[in-house]
Amino acid sequence: MSEHETTSEGTGEPTRRDFLYLTTGMAGAVGAVAVAWPFIDQMRPDASTLALASIEVDVASLEPGMSLTVKWRGKPIFIRNRTPEEVEAANAVQLADLKDPIARNANLPVDAQATGVDRSGGKGKENWIVMIGTCTHLGCVPLGQAGEYNGWFCPCHGSVYDTAGRIRKGPAPENLAIPTFSFVSDTKIKIG
Ligand code: FES
């Protein structure tokens, strides 16, 4: 083997033959995508199907103090089995102290107030909280059991939510939104 050939191999440069092969391969890939697209497009559900989409979440394994994040309609949904202390802390807050006194609970009238109960799974299910995990400021995903109120904290610009997901400090204007949900059994929550 000549000295020149050794150097050429060492650089790892593609040879002319390799280049032609790669070019052909790319043309093939583009062709495959062009053919596959119409099929994918047909499989996409229409808007009415998407609007109806709901999910059922088994929460049997969530002990008090445990949380779960699931995805629904492309959004993170926080489900938390709150501790008695968290429920108590949320219920002790006066509405007058809230930045946003509206429940923002899709299961209640639009003007329902943000009491501890109306932010939760309701009477008898006050330990449960189900919320869309999107900060009402600019849409970051807040961190759980963090911040001054040990609720949720959005690190993007410092919004602080309490143990009922109500905005208490920072730039976010509204409480974390509560989606439509119901208990289909004691351990199963239907969202949507
Ligand atoms: S996006 Fe949460 S504080 Fe700005």
Side-chain angles (χ1 to χ4, degrees):
M1 192 178 284
S2 75
E3 193 188 331
H4 175 75
E5 281 168 338
T6 308
T7 310
S8 169
E9 267 180 30
T11 62
E13 295 272 328
T15 63
R16 181 175 151 74
R17 199 186 55 209
D18 284 341
F19 181 72
L20 286 174
Y21 176 76
L22 287 171
T23 309
T24 314
M26 272 166 59
V30 170
V33 168
V35 171
W37 176 248
F39 293 110
I40 293 168
D41 209 34
Q42 279 168 20
M43 279 159 29
R44 190 186 296 162
D46 67 16
S48 59
T49 312
L50 278 177
L52 290 173
S54 62
I55 55 169
E56 283 190 11
V57 185
D58 189 338
V59 293
S61 57
L62 282 192
E63 301 287 333
M66 289 174 74
S67 306
L68 181 68
T69 301
V70 296
K71 205 168 170 187
W72 173 70
R73 296 188 192 169
K75 297 175 188 144
I77 303 293
F78 296 159
I79 301 174
R80 181 165 177 80
N81 187 352
R82 297 186 294 176
T83 63
E85 294 74 28
E86 288 170 341
V87 174
E88 204 175 304
N91 290 352
V93 177
Q94 301 297 309
L95 284 176
D97 293 336
L98 294 173
K99 183 173 174 179
D100 176 14
I102 305 296
R104 312 282 169 200
N105 184 339
N107 308 283
L108 297 174
V110 286
D111 57 353
Q113 297 194 303
T115 59
V117 175
D118 282 352
R119 290 284 306 168
S120 73
K123 280 218 171 359
K125 299 248 182 249
E126 285 164 81
N127 51 319
W128 291 103
I129 195 144
V130 179
M131 307 184 294
I132 298 176
T134 305
C135 181
T136 60
H137 181 222
L138 293 175
C140 288
V141 178
L143 306 169
Q145 291 62 66
E148 193 179 328
Y149 296 88
N150 196 31
W152 284 264
F153 175 70
C154 182
C156 289
H157 314 94
S159 286
V160 185
Y161 298 87
D162 66 15
T163 58
R166 297 171 297 197
I167 183 65
R168 304 300 296 276
K169 282 186 179 173
E174 293 182 2
N175 304 326
L176 292 175
I178 298 176
T180 306
F181 75 93
S182 58
F183 282 83
V184 289
S185 77
D186 268 353
T187 56
K188 211 169 259 183
I189 299 175
K190 182 180 173 197
I191 300 167

